Amino acid sequence: MNKNELNEAFNLLKSAAEQGDADAQCNLGVYYYFSKGVRQDYNEAFRWFKAAAKQGNAKAQNNLGNCYYYGKGVKQDYNEAFRWYKLVAEQGIAVAQYNLGICYLNGQGVKQDYNEAFRWFKAAAEQGLTEAQYWMGNCYYEGSGTKQDYNEAFRWFKAAAEQGMADAQYNLGICYYYGQGVSQDYKEAYYWYIISYLNGYTDAEQGVKILEDRLTYQQKQEVQNRVNDWIITHPKE
């Protein structure tokens, strides 16, 4: 959408929001939060999220939790963030289940509980949420909230990596490098380290350099061809 289209959409949303439409109130909050067609204003974003949340809009309730979690438009309050995330998570909304898992993981607004963190990450991951899949991999890799299981760690890292998450791509490379949950394969490790690095995970550069000395020229060329294919099929937005 161009600037004029964004402004027009904003005006239409504002009109509907002022008439009490919960979806419009939530979307208007998003416009203020991310500066879409209007100057960024976290206070206004919070106000509209709260209005929609009070009407039971699940997306707005989760966004309100985010405002409290990050202190955007309101004083940071992990207890309030946890309360709103929990309300939405219990409705089966994946992103709120993930956010609730983070609260349990870090002990934010609730007593730290790795078992509960794992439970909520699992609920979100099974719905396909990339970030939750990544944390499922971490939980299984470290044995946090569940029994350590490299096979499961590999499975979840792979799921998140294939959806484009750089951290998961790097961890998948580690699994291939050390043969954890999968047969050791330096070519695959090299491939995922490169993909991770290209996606902005700078720590992967060290892994790339280490494996450049262990692979033959032909092996590196084969991997580079696959990397080129990935770039073509996964264009950056």
Side-chain angles (χ1 to χ4, degrees):
M1 295 176 71
N2 60 39
K3 187 176 181 180
N4 289 333
E5 290 172 333
L6 279 173
N7 288 336
E8 183 178 353
F10 171 80
N11 291 330
L12 289 172
L13 272 178
K14 193 169 188 292
S15 177
E18 288 171 344
Q19 294 178 51
D21 185 289
D23 288 336
Q25 291 171 340
C26 178
N27 290 330
L28 186 61
V30 171
Y31 272 53
Y32 276 114
Y33 196 97
F34 292 105
S35 186
K36 294 173 64 176
V38 65
R39 184 176 179 180
Q40 190 173 56
D41 189 329
Y42 291 128
N43 292 327
E44 280 295 291
F46 175 81
R47 181 168 78 89
W48 288 109
F49 287 150
K50 188 175 182 180
K54 285 182 175 180
Q55 295 195 64
N57 185 286
K59 182 179 178 181
Q61 291 169 341
N62 181 72
N63 290 345
L64 193 62
N66 287 338
C67 288
Y68 279 113
Y69 187 91
Y70 295 106
K72 300 294 187 181
V74 67
K75 184 178 179 181
Q76 188 177 56
D77 188 331
Y78 289 138
N79 291 324
E80 277 297 295
F82 175 83
R83 183 172 74 86
W84 286 104
Y85 288 153
K86 189 170 189 292
L87 179 66
V88 188
E90 289 173 345
Q91 298 176 54
I93 307 300
V95 65
Q97 293 171 335
Y98 165 74
N99 289 336
L100 192 62
I102 291 293
C103 287
Y104 276 114
L105 181 72
N106 297 326
Q108 295 166 319
V110 67
K111 184 179 179 181
Q112 190 174 54
D113 188 328
Y114 294 136
N115 292 329
E116 279 296 293
F118 175 82
R119 181 168 79 89
W120 288 107
F121 287 150
K122 187 172 188 287
E126 288 177 344
Q127 294 193 63
L129 189 70
T130 307
E131 293 85 355
Q133 292 173 338
Y134 166 73
W135 275 103
M136 281 292 288
N138 284 332
C139 288
Y140 276 116
Y141 192 89
E142 301 290 344
S144 176
T146 188
K147 184 178 179 181
Q148 188 178 56
D149 187 331
Y150 288 138
N151 292 326
E152 281 295 296
F154 172 81
R155 181 170 77 88
W156 286 109
F157 284 146
K158 190 170 189 290
E162 289 177 343
Q163 292 198 65
M165 187 177 188
D167 298 50
Q169 291 163 347
Y170 176 70
N171 286 358
L172 188 61
I174 288 176
C175 288
Y176 276 114
Y177 184 86
Y178 291 106
Q180 295 169 319
V182 66
S183 297
Q184 188 178 56
D185 188 328
Y186 287 154
K187 277 179 65 177
E188 281 299 308
Y190 184 58
Y191 171 75
W192 286 109
Y193 284 156
I194 292 175
I195 295 295
S196 176
Y197 179 74
L198 291 175
N199 281 334
Y201 194 82
T202 56
D203 287 352
E205 183 178 16
Q206 184 178 0
V208 172
K209 290 180 177 179
I210 290 171
L211 286 172
E212 280 179 344
D213 295 331
R214 298 193 179 185
L215 298 176
T216 66
Y217 175 80
Q218 182 178 344
Q219 288 175 322
K220 287 184 284 189
Q221 284 300 112
E222 290 170 355
V223 169
Q224 189 58 57
N225 289 337
R226 290 178 59 204
V227 169
N228 292 339
D229 289 340
W230 172 278
I231 293 172
I232 292 171
T233 56
H234 297 78
K236 292 186 177 181
E237 296 182 356

PDB file of all heavy atoms in Angstrom, residues 34-68:
ATOM      1  N   PHE A  34       2.756   0.446  14.926  1.00  0.00           N
ATOM      2  CA  PHE A  34       3.787   0.248  13.905  1.00  0.00           C
ATOM      3  C   PHE A  34       3.908   1.430  12.935  1.00  0.00           C
ATOM      4  O   PHE A  34       4.605   1.326  11.931  1.00  0.00           O
ATOM      5  CB  PHE A  34       3.514  -1.034  13.117  1.00  0.00           C
ATOM      6  CG  PHE A  34       3.684  -2.283  13.936  1.00  0.00           C
ATOM      7  CD1 PHE A  34       2.569  -2.990  14.378  1.00  0.00           C
ATOM      8  CD2 PHE A  34       4.942  -2.745  14.293  1.00  0.00           C
ATOM      9  CE1 PHE A  34       2.720  -4.151  15.141  1.00  0.00           C
ATOM     10  CE2 PHE A  34       5.105  -3.895  15.050  1.00  0.00           C
ATOM     11  CZ  PHE A  34       3.985  -4.592  15.481  1.00  0.00           C
ATOM     12  N   SER A  35       3.217   2.534  13.246  1.00  0.00           N
ATOM     13  CA  SER A  35       3.298   3.740  12.423  1.00  0.00           C
ATOM     14  C   SER A  35       2.875   3.471  10.977  1.00  0.00           C
ATOM     15  O   SER A  35       3.605   3.747  10.027  1.00  0.00           O
ATOM     16  CB  SER A  35       4.729   4.308  12.452  1.00  0.00           C
ATOM     17  OG  SER A  35       4.790   5.548  11.777  1.00  0.00           O
ATOM     18  N   LYS A  36       1.688   2.923  10.816  1.00  0.00           N
ATOM     19  CA  LYS A  36       1.137   2.638   9.491  1.00  0.00           C
ATOM     20  C   LYS A  36       0.080   3.696   9.168  1.00  0.00           C
ATOM     21  O   LYS A  36      -1.018   3.672   9.686  1.00  0.00           O
ATOM     22  CB  LYS A  36       0.518   1.239   9.465  1.00  0.00           C
ATOM     23  CG  LYS A  36       1.514   0.114   9.647  1.00  0.00           C
ATOM     24  CD  LYS A  36       0.817  -1.237   9.772  1.00  0.00           C
ATOM     25  CE  LYS A  36       0.073  -1.610   8.515  1.00  0.00           C
ATOM     26  NZ  LYS A  36      -0.524  -2.962   8.611  1.00  0.00           N
ATOM     27  N   GLY A  37       0.430   4.648   8.310  1.00  0.00           N
ATOM     28  CA  GLY A  37      -0.510   5.676   7.925  1.00  0.00           C
ATOM     29  C   GLY A  37      -0.710   6.757   8.970  1.00  0.00           C
ATOM     30  O   GLY A  37      -1.574   7.621   8.817  1.00  0.00           O
ATOM     31  N   VAL A  38       0.075   6.694  10.036  1.00  0.00           N
ATOM     32  CA  VAL A  38      -0.051   7.660  11.118  1.00  0.00           C
ATOM     33  C   VAL A  38       1.264   7.678  11.898  1.00  0.00           C
ATOM     34  O   VAL A  38       2.026   6.710  11.859  1.00  0.00           O
ATOM     35  CB  VAL A  38      -1.227   7.270  12.053  1.00  0.00           C
ATOM     36  CG1 VAL A  38      -0.935   5.955  12.763  1.00  0.00           C
ATOM     37  CG2 VAL A  38      -1.540   8.374  13.061  1.00  0.00           C
ATOM     38  N   ARG A  39       1.512   8.775  12.592  1.00  0.00           N
ATOM     39  CA  ARG A  39       2.726   8.861  13.401  1.00  0.00           C
ATOM     40  C   ARG A  39       2.663   7.843  14.539  1.00  0.00           C
ATOM     41  O   ARG A  39       1.622   7.672  15.173  1.00  0.00           O
ATOM     42  CB  ARG A  39       2.871  10.278  13.969  1.00  0.00           C
ATOM     43  CG  ARG A  39       4.152  10.497  14.752  1.00  0.00           C
ATOM     44  CD  ARG A  39       4.246  11.956  15.201  1.00  0.00           C
ATOM     45  NE  ARG A  39       5.456  12.173  15.969  1.00  0.00           N
ATOM     46  CZ  ARG A  39       5.804  13.351  16.486  1.00  0.00           C
ATOM     47  NH1 ARG A  39       5.018  14.410  16.292  1.00  0.00           N
ATOM     48  NH2 ARG A  39       6.912  13.488  17.175  1.00  0.00           N
ATOM     49  N   GLN A  40       3.773   7.177  14.796  1.00  0.00           N
ATOM     50  CA  GLN A  40       3.806   6.164  15.850  1.00  0.00           C
ATOM     51  C   GLN A  40       3.437   6.772  17.194  1.00  0.00           C
ATOM     52  O   GLN A  40       3.940   7.829  17.570  1.00  0.00           O
ATOM     53  CB  GLN A  40       5.196   5.535  15.930  1.00  0.00           C
ATOM     54  CG  GLN A  40       5.278   4.306  16.826  1.00  0.00           C
ATOM     55  CD  GLN A  40       6.642   3.641  16.715  1.00  0.00           C
ATOM     56  OE1 GLN A  40       7.671   4.267  16.929  1.00  0.00           O
ATOM     57  NE2 GLN A  40       6.647   2.372  16.365  1.00  0.00           N
ATOM     58  N   ASP A  41       2.523   6.084  17.890  1.00  0.00           N
ATOM     59  CA  ASP A  41       2.048   6.585  19.175  1.00  0.00           C
ATOM     60  C   ASP A  41       1.649   5.388  20.031  1.00  0.00           C
ATOM     61  O   ASP A  41       0.557   4.843  19.890  1.00  0.00           O
ATOM     62  CB  ASP A  41       0.858   7.527  18.973  1.00  0.00           C
ATOM     63  CG  ASP A  41       0.455   8.259  20.248  1.00  0.00           C
ATOM     64  OD1 ASP A  41       0.628   7.690  21.343  1.00  0.00           O
ATOM     65  OD2 ASP A  41      -0.060   9.392  20.149  1.00  0.00           O
ATOM     66  N   TYR A  42       2.550   4.968  20.919  1.00  0.00           N
ATOM     67  CA  TYR A  42       2.287   3.784  21.741  1.00  0.00           C
ATOM     68  C   TYR A  42       1.128   4.021  22.721  1.00  0.00           C
ATOM     69  O   TYR A  42       0.398   3.085  23.060  1.00  0.00           O
ATOM     70  CB  TYR A  42       3.545   3.376  22.505  1.00  0.00           C
ATOM     71  CG  TYR A  42       4.650   2.842  21.635  1.00  0.00           C
ATOM     72  CD1 TYR A  42       5.943   3.361  21.713  1.00  0.00           C
ATOM     73  CD2 TYR A  42       4.412   1.807  20.737  1.00  0.00           C
ATOM     74  CE1 TYR A  42       6.962   2.863  20.914  1.00  0.00           C
ATOM     75  CE2 TYR A  42       5.426   1.306  19.930  1.00  0.00           C
ATOM     76  CZ  TYR A  42       6.697   1.838  20.028  1.00  0.00           C
ATOM     77  OH  TYR A  42       7.709   1.340  19.231  1.00  0.00           O
ATOM     78  N   ASN A  43       0.968   5.255  23.173  1.00  0.00           N
ATOM     79  CA  ASN A  43      -0.137   5.548  24.082  1.00  0.00           C
ATOM     80  C   ASN A  43      -1.489   5.311  23.406  1.00  0.00           C
ATOM     81  O   ASN A  43      -2.408   4.732  24.003  1.00  0.00           O
ATOM     82  CB  ASN A  43      -0.056   6.998  24.579  1.00  0.00           C
ATOM     83  CG  ASN A  43       1.135   7.232  25.482  1.00  0.00           C
ATOM     84  OD1 ASN A  43       1.544   6.342  26.228  1.00  0.00           O
ATOM     85  ND2 ASN A  43       1.711   8.411  25.416  1.00  0.00           N
ATOM     86  N   GLU A  44      -1.590   5.767  22.159  1.00  0.00           N
ATOM     87  CA  GLU A  44      -2.829   5.546  21.414  1.00  0.00           C
ATOM     88  C   GLU A  44      -3.011   4.063  21.076  1.00  0.00           C
ATOM     89  O   GLU A  44      -4.129   3.546  21.107  1.00  0.00           O
ATOM     90  CB  GLU A  44      -2.835   6.383  20.130  1.00  0.00           C
ATOM     91  CG  GLU A  44      -3.200   7.831  20.335  1.00  0.00           C
ATOM     92  CD  GLU A  44      -4.633   7.994  20.827  1.00  0.00           C
ATOM     93  OE1 GLU A  44      -5.568   7.719  20.050  1.00  0.00           O
ATOM     94  OE2 GLU A  44      -4.818   8.382  21.998  1.00  0.00           O
ATOM     95  N   ALA A  45      -1.915   3.408  20.745  1.00  0.00           N
ATOM     96  CA  ALA A  45      -1.989   1.969  20.462  1.00  0.00           C
ATOM     97  C   ALA A  45      -2.530   1.227  21.678  1.00  0.00           C
ATOM     98  O   ALA A  45      -3.455   0.401  21.571  1.00  0.00           O
ATOM     99  CB  ALA A  45      -0.610   1.434  20.083  1.00  0.00           C
ATOM    100  N   PHE A  46      -1.976   1.546  22.839  1.00  0.00           N
ATOM    101  CA  PHE A  46      -2.429   0.909  24.076  1.00  0.00           C
ATOM    102  C   PHE A  46      -3.910   1.189  24.320  1.00  0.00           C
ATOM    103  O   PHE A  46      -4.673   0.281  24.678  1.00  0.00           O
ATOM    104  CB  PHE A  46      -1.595   1.415  25.260  1.00  0.00           C
ATOM    105  CG  PHE A  46      -2.059   0.907  26.593  1.00  0.00           C
ATOM    106  CD1 PHE A  46      -1.694  -0.352  27.024  1.00  0.00           C
ATOM    107  CD2 PHE A  46      -2.878   1.687  27.409  1.00  0.00           C
ATOM    108  CE1 PHE A  46      -2.131  -0.839  28.258  1.00  0.00           C
ATOM    109  CE2 PHE A  46      -3.317   1.214  28.634  1.00  0.00           C
ATOM    110  CZ  PHE A  46      -2.943  -0.054  29.061  1.00  0.00           C
ATOM    111  N   ARG A  47      -4.317   2.421  24.101  1.00  0.00           N
ATOM    112  CA  ARG A  47      -5.712   2.798  24.356  1.00  0.00           C
ATOM    113  C   ARG A  47      -6.679   1.992  23.494  1.00  0.00           C
ATOM    114  O   ARG A  47      -7.692   1.490  23.991  1.00  0.00           O
ATOM    115  CB  ARG A  47      -5.900   4.300  24.079  1.00  0.00           C
ATOM    116  CG  ARG A  47      -7.313   4.793  24.344  1.00  0.00           C
ATOM    117  CD  ARG A  47      -7.353   6.313  24.333  1.00  0.00           C
ATOM    118  NE  ARG A  47      -7.337   6.878  23.006  1.00  0.00           N
ATOM    119  CZ  ARG A  47      -8.448   7.122  22.288  1.00  0.00           C
ATOM    120  NH1 ARG A  47      -9.635   6.810  22.780  1.00  0.00           N
ATOM    121  NH2 ARG A  47      -8.354   7.672  21.093  1.00  0.00           N
ATOM    122  N   TRP A  48      -6.336   1.825  22.228  1.00  0.00           N
ATOM    123  CA  TRP A  48      -7.235   1.105  21.329  1.00  0.00           C
ATOM    124  C   TRP A  48      -7.173  -0.402  21.542  1.00  0.00           C
ATOM    125  O   TRP A  48      -8.195  -1.092  21.431  1.00  0.00           O
ATOM    126  CB  TRP A  48      -6.957   1.480  19.880  1.00  0.00           C
ATOM    127  CG  TRP A  48      -7.424   2.866  19.562  1.00  0.00           C
ATOM    128  CD1 TRP A  48      -6.660   3.974  19.327  1.00  0.00           C
ATOM    129  CD2 TRP A  48      -8.780   3.313  19.495  1.00  0.00           C
ATOM    130  NE1 TRP A  48      -7.440   5.073  19.110  1.00  0.00           N
ATOM    131  CE2 TRP A  48      -8.752   4.703  19.203  1.00  0.00           C
ATOM    132  CE3 TRP A  48     -10.016   2.684  19.659  1.00  0.00           C
ATOM    133  CZ2 TRP A  48      -9.918   5.453  19.063  1.00  0.00           C
ATOM    134  CZ3 TRP A  48     -11.175   3.428  19.514  1.00  0.00           C
ATOM    135  CH2 TRP A  48     -11.119   4.797  19.226  1.00  0.00           C
ATOM    136  N   PHE A  49      -5.985  -0.918  21.854  1.00  0.00           N
ATOM    137  CA  PHE A  49      -5.892  -2.348  22.183  1.00  0.00           C
ATOM    138  C   PHE A  49      -6.757  -2.659  23.413  1.00  0.00           C
ATOM    139  O   PHE A  49      -7.458  -3.671  23.463  1.00  0.00           O
ATOM    140  CB  PHE A  49      -4.447  -2.749  22.463  1.00  0.00           C
ATOM    141  CG  PHE A  49      -3.561  -2.814  21.249  1.00  0.00           C
ATOM    142  CD1 PHE A  49      -2.198  -2.546  21.361  1.00  0.00           C
ATOM    143  CD2 PHE A  49      -4.062  -3.151  20.009  1.00  0.00           C
ATOM    144  CE1 PHE A  49      -1.363  -2.612  20.251  1.00  0.00           C
ATOM    145  CE2 PHE A  49      -3.244  -3.226  18.888  1.00  0.00           C
ATOM    146  CZ  PHE A  49      -1.895  -2.940  19.016  1.00  0.00           C
ATOM    147  N   LYS A  50      -6.694  -1.756  24.392  1.00  0.00           N
ATOM    148  CA  LYS A  50      -7.446  -1.971  25.629  1.00  0.00           C
ATOM    149  C   LYS A  50      -8.950  -1.950  25.360  1.00  0.00           C
ATOM    150  O   LYS A  50      -9.708  -2.762  25.901  1.00  0.00           O
ATOM    151  CB  LYS A  50      -7.075  -0.910  26.658  1.00  0.00           C
ATOM    152  CG  LYS A  50      -7.652  -1.166  28.039  1.00  0.00           C
ATOM    153  CD  LYS A  50      -7.143  -0.144  29.051  1.00  0.00           C
ATOM    154  CE  LYS A  50      -7.696  -0.438  30.445  1.00  0.00           C
ATOM    155  NZ  LYS A  50      -7.214   0.550  31.446  1.00  0.00           N
ATOM    156  N   ALA A  51      -9.370  -1.020  24.506  1.00  0.00           N
ATOM    157  CA  ALA A  51     -10.791  -0.927  24.178  1.00  0.00           C
ATOM    158  C   ALA A  51     -11.286  -2.216  23.515  1.00  0.00           C
ATOM    159  O   ALA A  51     -12.367  -2.727  23.846  1.00  0.00           O
ATOM    160  CB  ALA A  51     -11.041   0.270  23.256  1.00  0.00           C
ATOM    161  N   ALA A  52     -10.495  -2.725  22.574  1.00  0.00           N
ATOM    162  CA  ALA A  52     -10.875  -3.949  21.875  1.00  0.00           C
ATOM    163  C   ALA A  52     -10.774  -5.167  22.793  1.00  0.00           C
ATOM    164  O   ALA A  52     -11.598  -6.081  22.740  1.00  0.00           O
ATOM    165  CB  ALA A  52     -10.003  -4.142  20.642  1.00  0.00           C
ATOM    166  N   ALA A  53      -9.750  -5.167  23.650  1.00  0.00           N
ATOM    167  CA  ALA A  53      -9.543  -6.294  24.568  1.00  0.00           C
ATOM    168  C   ALA A  53     -10.722  -6.442  25.520  1.00  0.00           C
ATOM    169  O   ALA A  53     -11.155  -7.553  25.842  1.00  0.00           O
ATOM    170  CB  ALA A  53      -8.249  -6.104  25.352  1.00  0.00           C
ATOM    171  N   LYS A  54     -11.254  -5.307  25.968  1.00  0.00           N
ATOM    172  CA  LYS A  54     -12.390  -5.344  26.883  1.00  0.00           C
ATOM    173  C   LYS A  54     -13.632  -5.942  26.229  1.00  0.00           C
ATOM    174  O   LYS A  54     -14.543  -6.421  26.908  1.00  0.00           O
ATOM    175  CB  LYS A  54     -12.694  -3.934  27.396  1.00  0.00           C
ATOM    176  CG  LYS A  54     -11.703  -3.434  28.433  1.00  0.00           C
ATOM    177  CD  LYS A  54     -12.094  -2.056  28.945  1.00  0.00           C
ATOM    178  CE  LYS A  54     -11.176  -1.601  30.069  1.00  0.00           C
ATOM    179  NZ  LYS A  54     -11.548  -0.247  30.568  1.00  0.00           N
ATOM    180  N   GLN A  55     -13.647  -5.921  24.890  1.00  0.00           N
ATOM    181  CA  GLN A  55     -14.766  -6.513  24.158  1.00  0.00           C
ATOM    182  C   GLN A  55     -14.500  -7.984  23.814  1.00  0.00           C
ATOM    183  O   GLN A  55     -15.299  -8.620  23.140  1.00  0.00           O
ATOM    184  CB  GLN A  55     -15.044  -5.732  22.873  1.00  0.00           C
ATOM    185  CG  GLN A  55     -15.518  -4.304  23.091  1.00  0.00           C
ATOM    186  CD  GLN A  55     -16.118  -3.727  21.821  1.00  0.00           C
ATOM    187  OE1 GLN A  55     -17.130  -4.203  21.330  1.00  0.00           O
ATOM    188  NE2 GLN A  55     -15.465  -2.705  21.280  1.00  0.00           N
ATOM    189  N   GLY A  56     -13.363  -8.491  24.278  1.00  0.00           N
ATOM    190  CA  GLY A  56     -13.056  -9.903  24.074  1.00  0.00           C
ATOM    191  C   GLY A  56     -12.275 -10.224  22.818  1.00  0.00           C
ATOM    192  O   GLY A  56     -12.148 -11.397  22.447  1.00  0.00           O
ATOM    193  N   ASN A  57     -11.727  -9.207  22.154  1.00  0.00           N
ATOM    194  CA  ASN A  57     -10.937  -9.441  20.944  1.00  0.00           C
ATOM    195  C   ASN A  57      -9.595 -10.071  21.318  1.00  0.00           C
ATOM    196  O   ASN A  57      -8.762  -9.452  21.982  1.00  0.00           O
ATOM    197  CB  ASN A  57     -10.720  -8.115  20.212  1.00  0.00           C
ATOM    198  CG  ASN A  57     -10.021  -8.273  18.875  1.00  0.00           C
ATOM    199  OD1 ASN A  57      -8.826  -8.526  18.828  1.00  0.00           O
ATOM    200  ND2 ASN A  57     -10.769  -8.133  17.800  1.00  0.00           N
ATOM    201  N   ALA A  58      -9.387 -11.316  20.909  1.00  0.00           N
ATOM    202  CA  ALA A  58      -8.215 -12.081  21.344  1.00  0.00           C
ATOM    203  C   ALA A  58      -6.904 -11.466  20.849  1.00  0.00           C
ATOM    204  O   ALA A  58      -5.915 -11.418  21.583  1.00  0.00           O
ATOM    205  CB  ALA A  58      -8.322 -13.528  20.869  1.00  0.00           C
ATOM    206  N   LYS A  59      -6.892 -11.002  19.603  1.00  0.00           N
ATOM    207  CA  LYS A  59      -5.667 -10.390  19.073  1.00  0.00           C
ATOM    208  C   LYS A  59      -5.302  -9.153  19.873  1.00  0.00           C
ATOM    209  O   LYS A  59      -4.130  -8.939  20.199  1.00  0.00           O
ATOM    210  CB  LYS A  59      -5.862 -10.037  17.600  1.00  0.00           C
ATOM    211  CG  LYS A  59      -4.628  -9.434  16.947  1.00  0.00           C
ATOM    212  CD  LYS A  59      -4.871  -9.125  15.474  1.00  0.00           C
ATOM    213  CE  LYS A  59      -3.646  -8.471  14.837  1.00  0.00           C
ATOM    214  NZ  LYS A  59      -3.892  -8.134  13.401  1.00  0.00           N
ATOM    215  N   ALA A  60      -6.311  -8.348  20.208  1.00  0.00           N
ATOM    216  CA  ALA A  60      -6.061  -7.141  20.993  1.00  0.00           C
ATOM    217  C   ALA A  60      -5.597  -7.485  22.398  1.00  0.00           C
ATOM    218  O   ALA A  60      -4.742  -6.797  22.974  1.00  0.00           O
ATOM    219  CB  ALA A  60      -7.329  -6.286  21.058  1.00  0.00           C
ATOM    220  N   GLN A  61      -6.137  -8.544  22.966  1.00  0.00           N
ATOM    221  CA  GLN A  61      -5.733  -8.976  24.301  1.00  0.00           C
ATOM    222  C   GLN A  61      -4.261  -9.374  24.311  1.00  0.00           C
ATOM    223  O   GLN A  61      -3.516  -9.026  25.235  1.00  0.00           O
ATOM    224  CB  GLN A  61      -6.620 -10.127  24.765  1.00  0.00           C
ATOM    225  CG  GLN A  61      -8.047  -9.704  25.050  1.00  0.00           C
ATOM    226  CD  GLN A  61      -8.987 -10.885  25.264  1.00  0.00           C
ATOM    227  OE1 GLN A  61      -8.690 -12.021  24.870  1.00  0.00           O
ATOM    228  NE2 GLN A  61     -10.127 -10.625  25.872  1.00  0.00           N
ATOM    229  N   ASN A  62      -3.835 -10.089  23.279  1.00  0.00           N
ATOM    230  CA  ASN A  62      -2.420 -10.454  23.192  1.00  0.00           C
ATOM    231  C   ASN A  62      -1.552  -9.214  22.983  1.00  0.00           C
ATOM    232  O   ASN A  62      -0.499  -9.068  23.600  1.00  0.00           O
ATOM    233  CB  ASN A  62      -2.187 -11.445  22.050  1.00  0.00           C
ATOM    234  CG  ASN A  62      -0.731 -11.871  21.943  1.00  0.00           C
ATOM    235  OD1 ASN A  62      -0.221 -12.607  22.769  1.00  0.00           O
ATOM    236  ND2 ASN A  62      -0.049 -11.379  20.930  1.00  0.00           N
ATOM    237  N   ASN A  63      -2.020  -8.301  22.122  1.00  0.00           N
ATOM    238  CA  ASN A  63      -1.265  -7.063  21.883  1.00  0.00           C
ATOM    239  C   ASN A  63      -1.183  -6.207  23.141  1.00  0.00           C
ATOM    240  O   ASN A  63      -0.167  -5.548  23.388  1.00  0.00           O
ATOM    241  CB  ASN A  63      -1.910  -6.267  20.753  1.00  0.00           C
ATOM    242  CG  ASN A  63      -1.729  -6.926  19.396  1.00  0.00           C
ATOM    243  OD1 ASN A  63      -0.906  -7.809  19.230  1.00  0.00           O
ATOM    244  ND2 ASN A  63      -2.522  -6.502  18.424  1.00  0.00           N
ATOM    245  N   LEU A  64      -2.248  -6.229  23.930  1.00  0.00           N
ATOM    246  CA  LEU A  64      -2.233  -5.502  25.195  1.00  0.00           C
ATOM    247  C   LEU A  64      -1.180  -6.118  26.124  1.00  0.00           C
ATOM    248  O   LEU A  64      -0.450  -5.396  26.821  1.00  0.00           O
ATOM    249  CB  LEU A  64      -3.617  -5.548  25.842  1.00  0.00           C
ATOM    250  CG  LEU A  64      -3.867  -4.600  27.013  1.00  0.00           C
ATOM    251  CD1 LEU A  64      -3.727  -3.145  26.586  1.00  0.00           C
ATOM    252  CD2 LEU A  64      -5.258  -4.848  27.598  1.00  0.00           C
ATOM    253  N   GLY A  65      -1.104  -7.439  26.114  1.00  0.00           N
ATOM    254  CA  GLY A  65      -0.059  -8.121  26.874  1.00  0.00           C
ATOM    255  C   GLY A  65       1.324  -7.671  26.438  1.00  0.00           C
ATOM    256  O   GLY A  65       2.213  -7.439  27.268  1.00  0.00           O
ATOM    257  N   ASN A  66       1.500  -7.520  25.117  1.00  0.00           N
ATOM    258  CA  ASN A  66       2.789  -7.044  24.597  1.00  0.00           C
ATOM    259  C   ASN A  66       3.112  -5.637  25.106  1.00  0.00           C
ATOM    260  O   ASN A  66       4.266  -5.335  25.437  1.00  0.00           O
ATOM    261  CB  ASN A  66       2.774  -7.037  23.070  1.00  0.00           C
ATOM    262  CG  ASN A  66       2.844  -8.429  22.476  1.00  0.00           C
ATOM    263  OD1 ASN A  66       3.297  -9.370  23.118  1.00  0.00           O
ATOM    264  ND2 ASN A  66       2.392  -8.563  21.242  1.00  0.00           N
ATOM    265  N   CYS A  67       2.100  -4.778  25.142  1.00  0.00           N
ATOM    266  CA  CYS A  67       2.317  -3.417  25.638  1.00  0.00           C
ATOM    267  C   CYS A  67       2.807  -3.435  27.084  1.00  0.00           C
ATOM    268  O   CYS A  67       3.744  -2.715  27.442  1.00  0.00           O
ATOM    269  CB  CYS A  67       1.031  -2.606  25.534  1.00  0.00           C
ATOM    270  SG  CYS A  67       0.564  -2.155  23.843  1.00  0.00           S
ATOM    271  N   TYR A  68       2.179  -4.264  27.898  1.00  0.00           N
ATOM    272  CA  TYR A  68       2.604  -4.372  29.290  1.00  0.00           C
ATOM    273  C   TYR A  68       3.982  -5.035  29.398  1.00  0.00           C
ATOM    274  O   TYR A  68       4.819  -4.632  30.216  1.00  0.00           O
ATOM    275  CB  TYR A  68       1.589  -5.180  30.099  1.00  0.00           C
ATOM    276  CG  TYR A  68       0.388  -4.391  30.554  1.00  0.00           C
ATOM    277  CD1 TYR A  68      -0.887  -4.658  30.061  1.00  0.00           C
ATOM    278  CD2 TYR A  68       0.517  -3.366  31.482  1.00  0.00           C
ATOM    279  CE1 TYR A  68      -1.993  -3.928  30.475  1.00  0.00           C
ATOM    280  CE2 TYR A  68      -0.577  -2.629  31.912  1.00  0.00           C
ATOM    281  CZ  TYR A  68      -1.828  -2.919  31.401  1.00  0.00           C
ATOM    282  OH  TYR A  68      -2.922  -2.186  31.825  1.00  0.00           O
TER     283      TYR A  68
END
